[in-house]
């Protein structure tokens, strides 16, 4: 997701395929991980349990109403009034609210008053970069983010490959080691960072690469933050979900994509409401059910046409579209 720049330029990178050696390694490691989960082995450290076992909890990622220029408190009000169960706020909006004189305590009360849960949050700490000073600063930023979200009652944050660009050479094993360090920081803070792929990103641009990083981290809290649009943009198969399970799949960004523009040129801003595009929505949701996974489905859109709508109307339409998609999947 990004960023420090507009959503439309966030992660539009050329796709690259996973090397055969890495793919073979991924297959073996993933199988081992799935086997351990199936055997019911207890990890040494605490990991987040699903919020709603056996059903999909529906949440609002605040990017969906970003263009309406609401503050963090107003976004919470919209999510609550629209009928969502969960929210996925952006740290930049939370930080701006606090800098303007608001408090995390006030936001937490608003969240509780609406019966909402903070199931994930979006930040862009550069934990993956090669430069040691920038990476150290990235971990400090991640620590602040984790502290912030913990005060709001949250237990997870997104961990995208922020800060790494086309010219950076970062191996998947280095990314895994850095992700492990981020997870260890999360152990201290009581928050789980979810490795997120950005479709076409040069480092973590496919589902396969994200799962390799998660499995190779060797940490029991490792998990994957997936996304309908990014899976398509990165050229991965939605059947990859069948290799995962409830532990790996805790949050998933729900959206849809049109047939035009094509995969090669499609951007974040082209995302549409679930069911309004060509994504195999019932197949995706069916694959979750097939492996017993019911992640929080978080509506993440960057569509400028939706930003022209009243924020509450946009949120309500999005929720109805999500409910219809879940119902259609049976």
């Amino acid at each position: 997701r990004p960023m420090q720049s507009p959503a439309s330029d966030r992660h539009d990178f050329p796709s690259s395929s996973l090397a055969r050696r890495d793919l073979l390694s991924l297959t073996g490691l993933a199988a081992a991980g799935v086997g351990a989960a199936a055997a019911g082995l207890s990890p040494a450290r605490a990991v987040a349990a699903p919020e709603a076992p056996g059903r999909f909890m529906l949440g609002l990622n605040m990017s969906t109403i970003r263009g309406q220029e609401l503050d963090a408190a107003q976004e919470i009000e919209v999510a609550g009034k629209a009928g969502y169960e969960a929210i996925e706020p952006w740290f930049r909006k939370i930080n701006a609210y606090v800098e303007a004189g608001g408090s995390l305590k006030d936001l937490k009360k608003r969240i509780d008053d609406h019966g909402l849960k903070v199931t994930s949050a979006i930040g862009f700490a550069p934990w993956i970069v090669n430069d040691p000073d920038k990476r150290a600063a990235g971990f400090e930023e991640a620590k602040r983010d984790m502290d912030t979200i913990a005060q709001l009652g949250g237990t997870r944050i997104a961990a995208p490959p922020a800060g790494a660009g086309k010219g950076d050479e970062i191996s998947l094993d280095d990314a895994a080691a850095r992700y492990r360090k981020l997870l260890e920081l999360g152990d201290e803070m009581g928050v789980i960072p979810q490795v997120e792929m950005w479709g076409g990103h040069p480092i973590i641009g496919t589902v396969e690469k994200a799962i390799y990083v998660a499995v190779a981290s060797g940490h029991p809290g490792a998990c994957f933050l997936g996304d309908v649009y990014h899976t398509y943009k990165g050229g991965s198969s939605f059947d990859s979900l069948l290799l995962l399970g409830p532990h790996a799949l805790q949050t998933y960004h729900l959206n849809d994509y049109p047939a035009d523009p094509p995969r090669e040129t499609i951007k974040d801003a082209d995302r549409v409401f679930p069911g309004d595009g060509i994504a195999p929505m019932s197949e995706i949701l069916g694959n979750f059910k097939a492996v017993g996974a019911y992640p929080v489905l978080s509506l993440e859109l960057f569509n400028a046409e939706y930003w022209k709508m009243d924020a509450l109307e946009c949120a309500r339409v999005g929720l109805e579209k999500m409910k219809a998609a879940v119902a259609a999947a049976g």
Side-chain angles (χ1 to χ4, degrees), residues 126-203:
W127 58 274
I128 198 173
V129 298
N130 283 329
D131 184 284
D133 292 334
K134 291 181 179 179
R135 192 165 67 250
F139 277 97
E140 286 302 312
E141 180 180 343
K143 185 175 182 179
R144 292 192 299 272
D145 288 348
M146 290 179 184
D147 178 65
T148 294
I149 214 61
Q151 290 188 54
L152 295 180
T155 56
R156 304 183 191 90
I157 63 171
K166 297 178 182 178
D168 294 317
E169 295 185 4
I170 303 172
S171 72
L172 292 181
D173 288 328
D174 282 344
R178 294 164 191 175
Y179 178 49
R180 180 183 178 86
K181 183 176 178 181
L182 193 64
L183 286 159
E184 290 171 345
L185 176 61
D187 289 336
E188 299 173 17
M189 305 297 294
V191 175
I192 298 174
Q194 309 161 100
V195 65
E196 180 181 16
M197 56 85 66
W198 286 345
H201 188 277
I203 312 303

Side-chain angles (χ1 to χ4, degrees), residues 1-327:
R1 193 170 350 335
M3 319 160 353
Q4 287 110 354
S5 60
S8 58
D9 340 311
R10 233 176 29 143
H11 354 87
D12 297 298
F13 299 93
S15 297
S16 58
S17 60
L18 187 63
R20 177 177 175 78
R21 176 183 58 80
D22 289 337
L23 181 57
L24 291 173
S25 298
L26 169 60
T27 303
L29 287 168
V34 170
L41 300 181
S42 298
R45 280 144 287 191
V47 294
E51 273 83 6
R55 70 177 182 86
F56 295 111
M57 179 180 283
L58 305 183
L60 179 65
N61 181 301
M62 297 308 182
S63 68
T64 303
I65 54 172
R66 190 175 77 182
Q68 283 84 346
E69 301 295 342
L70 307 178
D71 66 24
Q74 292 169 326
E75 289 180 342
I76 292 167
E77 295 297 313
V78 166
K81 290 178 180 178
Y84 287 87
E85 296 177 271
I87 58 172
E88 191 173 20
W90 284 47
F91 286 110
R92 64 175 55 169
K93 192 61 75 76
I94 296 172
N95 294 338
Y97 181 79
V98 173
E99 289 167 5
S103 71
L104 294 178
K105 183 177 180 180
D106 171 63
L107 292 181
K108 176 68 163 62
K109 184 178 186 305
R110 291 172 184 270
I111 291 167
D112 292 344
D113 286 348
H114 283 289
L116 294 165
K117 290 190 176 183
V118 182
T119 51
S120 183
I122 305 302
F124 306 101
W127 58 274
I128 198 173
V129 298
N130 283 329
D131 184 284
D133 292 334
K134 291 181 179 179
R135 192 165 67 250
F139 277 97
E140 286 302 312
E141 180 180 343
K143 185 175 182 179
R144 292 192 299 272
D145 288 348
M146 290 179 184
D147 178 65
T148 294
I149 214 61
Q151 290 188 54
L152 295 180
T155 56
R156 304 183 191 90
I157 63 171
K166 297 178 182 178
D168 294 317
E169 295 185 4
I170 303 172
S171 72
L172 292 181
D173 288 328
D174 282 344
R178 294 164 191 175
Y179 178 49
R180 180 183 178 86
K181 183 176 178 181
L182 193 64
L183 286 159
E184 290 171 345
L185 176 61
D187 289 336
E188 299 173 17
M189 305 297 294
V191 175
I192 298 174
Q194 309 161 100
V195 65
E196 180 181 16
M197 56 85 66
W198 286 345
H201 188 277
I203 312 303
I204 307 181
T206 64
V207 172
E208 303 93 284
K209 291 182 178 182
I211 297 305
Y212 181 95
V213 169
V215 175
S217 74
H219 189 287
C223 54
F224 166 60
L225 176 53
D227 182 296
V228 174
Y229 162 82
H230 282 304
T231 299
Y232 171 70
K233 177 70 175 177
S236 296
S237 169
F238 291 107
D239 282 341
S240 60
L241 296 171
L242 295 171
L243 295 172
L244 306 177
H247 178 77
L249 299 165
Q250 300 182 27
T251 307
Y252 197 82
H253 290 156
L254 202 67
N255 44 61
D256 209 330
Y257 49 84
D260 186 60
R263 185 199 308 270
E264 294 74 20
T265 57
I266 198 168
K267 298 181 183 298
D268 283 299
D270 297 313
R271 304 183 195 195
V272 294
F273 287 124
D276 288 357
I278 62 169
M281 202 62 59
S282 291
E283 175 189 332
I284 295 167
L285 297 176
N287 285 347
F288 287 135
K289 294 180 180 182
V291 296
Y294 289 85
V296 176
L297 301 178
S298 184
L299 182 68
E300 188 187 58
L301 300 166
F302 298 88
N303 194 307
E305 291 303 310
Y306 301 160
W307 289 344
K308 296 176 183 177
M309 300 169 65
D310 173 77
L312 182 56
E313 178 190 2
C314 178
R316 282 175 171 164
V317 170
L319 182 58
E320 290 307 311
K321 296 282 188 179
M322 293 175 81
K323 288 180 177 179
V326 170

